Amino acid sequence: MISKRYLLRRLTNMAVIAYGAITLNFFLPRIIPGNPVMANLFGGGGGQIGNPVVVRRLTQEFGLNNPNLLYQYYRYLVELVHGNLGISFYYYPQSVVSVIVQRLPWTLFLAGSGTILAALLGIPLGIFLAWRKGTLPDSLISSAGMLISSIPYFWIGIVLLIFFAVDITIFPVAHAVSQGVTYSSVFAYLGDVLYHAVLPISTLVIALMPGYALQMRNTMITVMHEDYILTAFAKGLPNHVIKNRYAARNAILPVTTHVGIALGYVVGGALMVEYLFAYPGLGYTLFSAIQSEDYPLMQGIFLIISLCVIFANFIVDMIYTLIDPRVSLT
Amino acid sequence: MDLLEVSKLNIRYRTKDRTIHAVRDLSISIKRGEVVGLVGESGCGKSTFGMSLLRLLPVSTDISAKKMMFNAGDGMQAGGIDILELSEKELRRLRWKHISVIFQGSMNSLNPVARIGSQFADAMFWHGFDDETIKNSISSHLELVHLDDSIRKSYPHELSGGMKQRVAIAMALVCSPELVIADEPTTALDVVVQRRILKLLMDTKEKLNLSIIFITHDISLLASIADRVAVMYAGSIVEIGDVRTLFRSPLHPYTKGLMSTIPRVDERQSELVEIHGSPPDLSGSIRGCPFAPRCGIATELCAVEMPQLRVVEGRHMVSCHNVEVQDGKND
Ligand SMILES: Nc1ncnc2c1ncn2[C@@H]1O[C@H](COP(=O)(O)OP(=O)(O)OP(=O)(O)O)[C@@H](O)[C@H]1O
Ligand SMILES: [Mg+2]
């Protein structure tokens, strides 16, 4: 089991990384020549910029009239601790945090179920292929997988969209729920949510699954050359025991790490998919924030995405710790 | 009837661009309770032969033999079983229950993510032992190799090299096989641990009436543990005989060469035969005696005709044109 001390160490580790992300999120836009944040705010770029109330509040809360960057940084941290990321220009008078809180669950739902489904389908497929290495099914499916994983998310989404929502209209073109409908029960609502999520999630699964499958296949083929696999055969164990308890069980370890590392890309993909399907998550919101030059919102979304990826990596790390006995838990 | 009878075994590995004829017309029989040392240079086919007894070679490998019979004492069919004729299912029953292996480089032969106890248990479980027997056997076999019972809860990475080696030995014995193939079981260990483990293996062998094929490239090891020694060169056995005979009066020039690598302090080390050059490429066919190019006493005959394994005296056999033997009878 994981000891308290170990958990504490990992949590501290995560906190340090999160702090780094928070700091970067502050400095990065400010070191860009011309400092778009300030220029945007005072130069009258985006939608609500003319609104003197917004400008005054932001200036005050974040110490923007003080030219000392460190002082601004200090204000930024203080406001952050109080859960204040500023006010959205576009969604004024909503705060950035309240916009994010509304939109984040949709993104988590998409990216989370996309990743989990892709892993749950891809990994067994990889095991299947590795066990039949070099046979016709393996060559065919592996080549197809390589082909699919070279197609960008966006393109997969468009094809699904045109095929299943425009050509044959079995799935909705856009949005997370039907517009202007009252639901008879919670289940009707959930059903509607799932119905709308089919195409976006399928896009993610199709884009991600081949990667997981191939990764699992290749790792397992390498593992199959290990001495302990030969031992397993020598012991006269049935094939399914060798395949699952020896080969796949060992191959899953590096694949888990890979899943963790790829999470950043998955989120990137999810954002694109949201945009494509007008799905009301952070990705969709981010695009409208960019269009309307809503800098506080953009910054807030970037920050929250980094924090989510960092946290998800922590979870993957914990899972890895639980399944690999060689990781020291003390 | 001998436990294992192999006659004219040939094994060819097939790779993308060539075929490697790793074992060539190899014949050997092993008695019950006998320890046969199999010695030879790296790449001469020792492991290939060992693995072939369990049919553990890559599927593309070509194995043929005039005879490859395993005469298990009880449980399996009377009259012995033809290893080459076994189905997948029958093979699984033969493996570990009747013939087991201590692998070359046993360090990595344990599953890193499974506890030691469960690695003993799975083999026994699938060979039909009940829970009670499994539990007791694990304890008694760990004790046999002087390991604490608590080790069953450990993972391989928590053990030292020597401990892993002992686990590998105990595990090879846990289903009480008749034959154990020990493929360089101690190569990676320091001399003290090596001695201890060999002694352990021999003690256990006495208790359980095992036959052991002990594969090594260190012929001096065999002096204290083997009943018979088989010297292998380029896929064939070139000399075989009782350990005393072979150490006292080796006949084949290659055996003599191997013997001379053993450091001795006494006077008798008069005949120092050094082995120059390297063994032949096993992917081609070999004309004449495979040792001829490196042999100090090779004649014209040696370059054209492959010598047969002939009886010198009793169980002592050698394949060399330049050794006088009693009769010309083949194996
Ligand atoms: N899987 C394989 N595919 C192709 N060739 C192989 C394979 N395994 C072994 N060989 C070849 O067969 C020959 C005999 O190999 P083998 O492993 O039996 O030698 P060995 O006597 O056990 O050597 P060592 O003392 O180094 O373990 C070598 O030439 C080797 O290159
Ligand atoms: Mg070997």
Side-chain angles (χ1 to χ4, degrees):
Chain A
M1 254 341 276
I2 298 179
S3 71
K4 262 196 200 124
R5 215 181 109 213
Y6 179 80
L7 198 66
L8 205 68
R9 220 179 59 207
R10 304 305 313 192
L11 280 170
T12 316
N13 197 0
M14 178 174 72
V16 170
I17 298 172
Y19 175 70
I22 289 168
T23 304
L24 267 185
N25 188 57
F26 173 83
F27 282 106
L28 222 46
R30 283 170 174 78
I31 56 172
I32 296 171
N35 189 346
V37 181
M38 305 296 269
N40 180 274
L41 192 54
F42 298 110
Q48 287 291 330
I49 299 308
N51 189 335
V53 187
V54 181
V55 175
R56 204 177 321 120
R57 261 193 63 189
L58 285 175
T59 311
Q60 215 173 24
E61 284 170 2
F62 291 90
L64 299 183
N65 48 5
N66 189 328
N68 186 344
L69 215 54
L70 282 179
Y71 176 72
Q72 287 188 18
Y73 176 56
Y74 162 73
R75 288 302 317 160
Y76 161 81
L77 288 181
V78 171
E79 292 301 321
L80 184 67
V81 169
H82 291 97
N84 183 9
L85 288 171
I87 314 164
S88 164
F89 295 161
Y90 185 69
Y91 295 96
Y92 179 80
Q94 281 195 67
S95 70
V96 168
V97 169
S98 78
V99 174
I100 288 176
V101 166
Q102 286 163 31
R103 303 305 177 89
L104 180 63
W106 293 114
T107 300
L108 291 182
F109 171 57
L110 266 198
S113 40
T115 307
I116 292 171
L117 273 178
L120 287 183
L121 295 170
I123 287 171
L125 178 63
I127 297 173
F128 172 88
L129 296 177
W131 196 254
R132 286 163 189 75
K133 180 191 111 178
T135 61
L136 190 65
D138 173 41
S139 326
L140 286 181
I141 299 176
S142 296
S143 312
M146 243 173 291
L147 185 73
I148 293 172
S149 55
S150 69
I151 304 174
Y153 287 68
F154 207 68
W155 185 233
I156 294 174
I158 287 177
V159 170
L160 287 185
L161 194 64
I162 292 177
F163 206 75
F164 291 106
V166 180
D167 255 15
I168 37 170
T169 48
I170 34 175
F171 289 112
V173 185
H175 307 303
V177 285
S178 305
Q179 311 288 297
V181 183
T182 44
Y183 296 98
S184 51
S185 71
V186 183
F187 297 107
Y189 173 71
L190 290 179
D192 196 41
V193 167
L194 286 181
Y195 177 56
H196 280 78
V198 169
L199 285 188
I201 291 182
S202 302
T203 307
L204 285 176
V205 170
I206 292 173
L208 289 171
M209 195 186 85
Y212 292 154
L214 291 177
Q215 176 92 15
M216 187 64 192
R217 170 190 178 271
N218 297 343
T219 315
M220 186 154 141
I221 286 174
T222 313
V223 166
M224 296 284 289
H225 288 116
E226 295 285 344
D227 290 346
Y228 51 81
I229 300 294
L230 190 63
T231 309
F233 278 104
K235 280 157 100 176
L237 300 176
N239 283 343
H240 70 268
V241 175
I242 302 175
K243 182 167 68 174
N244 298 322
R245 301 254 309 273
Y246 282 74
R249 180 67 180 73
N250 278 285
I252 195 100
L253 299 173
V255 173
T256 308
T257 313
H258 167 80
V259 169
I261 293 169
L263 275 174
Y265 298 100
V266 175
V267 171
L271 300 186
M272 290 296 271
V273 167
E274 284 179 10
Y275 178 65
L276 186 64
F277 288 91
Y279 204 82
L282 286 182
Y284 187 61
T285 313
L286 180 63
F287 280 103
S288 46
I290 291 171
Q291 266 164 7
S292 53
E293 295 181 46
D294 187 345
Y295 272 93
L297 185 56
M298 269 186 254
Q299 254 198 323
I301 290 177
F302 286 136
L303 179 65
I304 221 69
I305 289 173
S306 336
L307 294 183
C308 285
V309 171
I310 290 169
F311 183 70
N313 259 303
F314 169 75
I315 299 289
V316 171
D317 215 41
M318 284 295 115
I319 293 175
Y320 188 91
T321 306
L322 285 176
I323 58 178
D324 187 352
R326 280 163 298 188
V327 178
S328 153
L329 298 182
T330 50
Chain B
M1 204 171 10
D2 288 340
L3 182 65
L4 178 75
E5 296 169 295
V6 177
S7 164
K8 298 238 179 283
L9 173 67
N10 280 283
I11 301 174
R12 290 179 180 85
Y13 287 111
R14 301 209 182 281
T15 62
K16 272 191 205 95
D17 47 350
R18 60 200 196 128
T19 300
I20 296 157
H21 193 169
V23 171
R24 299 168 178 240
D25 279 343
L26 185 146
S27 303
I28 195 168
S29 329
I30 313 270
K31 289 186 195 306
R32 260 166 245 281
E34 186 183 38
V35 178
V36 176
L38 189 60
V39 65
E41 267 165 298
S42 181
C44 71
K46 305 182 296 292
S47 300
T48 304
F49 166 64
M51 293 304 106
S52 74
L53 296 176
L54 281 177
R55 297 250 312 268
L56 277 177
L57 299 168
V59 277
S60 60
T61 312
D62 208 57
I63 314 177
S64 63
K66 206 168 116 194
K67 189 175 181 188
M68 199 158 174
M69 296 295 278
F70 183 75
N71 304 306
D74 46 77
M76 295 189 94
Q77 303 100 299
I81 46 171
D82 186 342
I83 293 176
L84 294 185
E85 292 298 316
L86 293 182
S87 67
E88 273 286 316
K89 205 173 143 210
E90 293 166 325
L91 258 182
R92 279 206 292 273
R93 249 181 302 165
L94 174 78
R95 291 173 177 171
W96 224 250
K97 182 76 186 61
H98 296 279
I99 306 181
S100 69
V101 195
I102 304 165
F103 282 99
Q104 181 164 11
S106 312
M107 300 292 170
N108 308 318
S109 66
L110 297 171
N111 184 356
V113 298
R115 292 179 200 278
I116 301 297
S118 88
Q119 301 193 46
F120 277 86
D122 62 3
M124 297 191 75
F125 175 80
W126 293 103
H127 285 296
F129 292 88
D130 61 76
D131 285 356
E132 188 65 24
T133 318
I134 292 178
K135 201 162 164 284
N136 295 336
S137 291
I138 297 177
S139 296
S140 64
H141 279 82
L142 284 175
E143 200 187 307
L144 201 66
V145 294
H146 306 309
L147 285 172
D148 196 83
D149 194 52
S150 63
I151 256 187
R152 61 166 78 210
K153 297 220 169 56
S154 305
Y155 288 98
H157 73 274
E158 294 163 345
L159 310 181
S160 74
M163 286 160 99
K164 275 189 253 189
Q165 204 78 42
R166 281 183 278 164
V167 167
I169 292 173
M171 199 137 82
L173 302 174
V174 80
C175 292
S176 338
E178 287 98 346
L179 176 63
V180 174
I181 299 153
D183 193 348
E184 307 202 24
T186 58
T187 318
L189 301 173
D190 69 72
V191 184
V192 179
V193 182
Q194 182 173 337
R195 286 275 150 216
R196 204 180 302 150
I197 286 180
L198 285 181
K199 177 156 190 318
L200 202 89
L201 189 59
M202 289 310 123
D203 291 349
T204 322
K205 176 235 143 196
E206 288 304 325
K207 274 184 221 156
L208 305 177
N209 193 32
L210 279 176
S211 303
I212 301 180
I213 296 179
F214 195 102
I215 297 174
T216 178
H217 51 243
D218 179 1
I219 196 167
S220 63
L221 261 187
L222 296 177
S224 55
I225 58 169
D227 299 313
R228 266 196 306 155
V229 173
V231 179
M232 206 167 159
Y233 188 79
S236 315
I237 289 178
V238 293
E239 185 165 9
I240 182 167
D242 293 334
V243 64
R244 283 166 170 274
T245 321
L246 220 79
F247 273 79
R248 286 226 182 98
S249 47
L251 292 176
H252 197 284
Y254 180 61
T255 316
K256 288 181 185 169
L258 285 182
M259 293 294 173
S260 75
T261 61
I262 306 173
R264 290 195 194 171
V265 281
D266 63 356
E267 299 293 306
R268 284 185 296 139
Q269 194 163 15
S270 48
E271 205 184 351
L272 228 177
V273 187
E274 253 192 276
I275 315 173
H276 297 286
S278 48
D281 179 10
L282 292 177
S283 58
S285 70
I286 301 169
R287 190 150 175 263
C289 172
F291 189 63
R294 304 168 77 184
C295 182
I297 55 169
T299 60
E300 273 168 30
L301 179 65
C302 301
V304 291
E305 196 184 313
M306 168 82 183
Q308 296 297 310
L309 201 57
R310 294 172 300 161
V311 177
V312 183
E313 192 182 10
R315 300 212 295 166
H316 190 184
M317 295 195 275
V318 67
S319 70
C320 176
H321 291 305
N322 300 315
V323 171
E324 290 304 322
V325 298
Q326 283 176 333
D327 54 3
K329 207 180 66 169
N330 293 358
D331 48 358

